[in-house]
């Protein structure tokens, strides 16, 4: 059925950049709402960025101007370009797909921002 697989996480220095990818299968990707969330140890999962089927985007205030969400419907993939990374961006990043009120989640990819 529906599967979401994140990739691209790793260790980066403060001020650096990283691009996360989320490959989606088992659903009609082009008509799904997509989003990125993150969760740091001991904290609740929080919204990071979202994109509609038509390409409309929205961001959490903490990442606006630094992160960019995009999608490639031909590749069934959503991306999160992260620039000017800060230590507080350290978290497990999760991809989410939504269609008809049903939410599907990936297993996450760890991003660590440290010098």
């Amino acid at each position: 059925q529906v599967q979401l697989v994140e990739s691209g996480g790793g260790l980066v220095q403060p001020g650096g950049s990283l691009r996360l990818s989320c490959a989606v299968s088992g659903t009609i990707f082009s008509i799904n709402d997509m989003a990125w969330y993150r969760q740091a140890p001991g904290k609740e999962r929080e919204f990071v960025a979202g994109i509609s089927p038509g390409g409309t985007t929205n961001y959490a205030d903490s990442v606006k101007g630094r992160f960019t969400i995009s999608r490639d419907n031909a590749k069934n993939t959503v991306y999160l370009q992260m620039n000017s990374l800060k230590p507080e961006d350290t978290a497990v990043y999760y991809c989410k797909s939504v269609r008809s009120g049903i939410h599907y989640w990936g297993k996450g990819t760890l991003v660590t921002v440290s010098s």
Side-chain angles (χ1 to χ4, degrees):
Q1 278 291 349
V2 179
Q3 293 187 23
L4 287 72
V5 181
E6 302 97 334
S7 62
L11 175 64
V12 297
Q13 296 182 343
S17 298
L18 200 64
R19 189 182 76 160
L20 306 182
S21 298
C22 174
V24 182
S25 63
T27 186
I28 306 176
F29 177 82
S30 62
I31 59 174
N32 286 3
D33 284 294
M34 300 297 301
W36 287 96
Y37 286 72
R38 67 186 182 187
Q39 186 169 23
K43 297 183 179 180
E44 295 184 348
R45 189 172 299 185
E46 65 176 353
F47 171 81
V48 175
I51 186 168
S52 73
T56 301
T57 60
N58 63 301
Y59 300 90
D61 289 341
S62 60
V63 306
K64 191 172 184 179
R66 299 188 298 121
F67 291 10
T68 302
I69 187 172
S70 62
R71 65 194 297 161
D72 186 336
N73 289 341
K75 296 182 178 181
N76 288 0
T77 302
V78 62
Y79 304 94
L80 184 67
Q81 178 66 47
M82 305 184 293
N83 299 324
S84 302
L85 284 162
K86 305 174 181 179
E88 50 263 46
D89 294 318
T90 296
V92 175
Y93 284 70
Y94 297 90
C95 181
K96 184 181 76 173
S97 176
V98 182
R99 179 60 183 172
S100 299
I102 306 299
H103 295 220
Y104 296 93
W105 295 88
K107 294 183 178 180
T109 184
L110 177 63
V111 172
T112 302
V113 184
S114 177
S115 59

